[in-house]
Amino acid sequence: METRQSKTQIKVRNYHIDSYQHVNNMRYMEFLEEARWTHFENNNTLEKVAKNGVGFVIANYNIDFKFPASIDQNLEITTKLEKIGSSSTVFKQEILIKENQKQALSATVTLVAFDIKTQLPIKISDQVREELLK
């Protein structure tokens, strides 16, 4: 399955840092979230699927931390749709520290489709699948 890839830039600020002078692990989840929103915004994907009454929520994070990022470093987050199942999608994301070209982390994030009105999981329709693949 060929899908588009997006890149998001984030600069590490002092409020991202923990007592060890590294980016706090929970902040990485925020960075990944920002990158997924940017990925969806590039084609207005979430807006388009919401018109069909469909939303997506996180069901699973799997993060492999590899190298700590620090204050004032520039991060590049790569986001790519890896898989679309019957009711879920899996995104592959990586964070690269631009200054030293080290990978801070790699992650897979599973999102589940749900009906906005009933708040229950639903199958991904062909129309929504097409929007995700754009």
Side-chain angles (χ1 to χ4, degrees):
M1 171 179 73
E2 188 61 33
T3 62
R4 72 183 167 89
Q5 175 176 292
S6 64
K7 294 186 185 281
T8 304
Q9 310 296 320
I10 293 180
K11 183 168 184 162
V12 178
R13 306 292 182 186
N14 66 341
Y15 59 89
H16 297 137
I17 301 299
D18 63 20
S19 61
Y20 298 111
Q21 300 305 303
H22 299 139
V23 171
N24 180 283
N25 287 358
M26 294 305 292
R27 290 293 186 165
Y28 283 114
M29 292 173 72
E30 291 176 3
F31 296 165
L32 295 172
E33 182 84 9
E34 175 63 28
R36 282 191 313 281
W37 277 93
T38 299
H39 183 83
F40 285 134
E41 283 176 343
N42 288 340
N43 288 333
N44 296 321
T45 305
L46 294 179
E47 182 180 304
K48 290 175 185 175
V49 300
K51 288 180 182 176
N52 293 311
V54 178
F56 285 91
V57 292
I58 296 170
N60 181 271
Y61 262 110
N62 186 341
I63 301 175
D64 291 320
F65 295 99
K66 299 184 183 236
F67 194 86
S70 299
I71 194 165
D72 291 331
Q73 289 183 319
N74 294 289
L75 308 180
E76 181 177 77
I77 305 165
T78 304
T79 302
K80 185 173 183 177
L81 178 63
E82 190 171 77
K83 176 183 167 187
I84 301 177
S86 62
S87 63
S88 66
T89 63
V90 177
F91 281 86
K92 174 74 173 167
Q93 293 185 278
E94 296 179 344
I95 298 180
L96 177 73
I97 303 167
K98 299 280 286 191
E99 284 75 9
N100 59 20
Q101 294 297 297
K102 293 196 181 215
Q103 188 179 49
L105 64 79
S106 65
T108 55
V109 183
T110 303
L111 305 176
V112 172
F114 73 101
D115 182 298
I116 293 172
K117 288 181 184 173
T118 67
Q119 298 289 298
L120 296 173
I122 58 172
K123 290 192 182 259
I124 296 173
S125 69
D126 289 340
Q127 186 177 4
V128 170
R129 184 178 304 270
E130 286 178 30
E131 288 299 329
L132 290 169
L133 291 170
K134 288 183 180 177

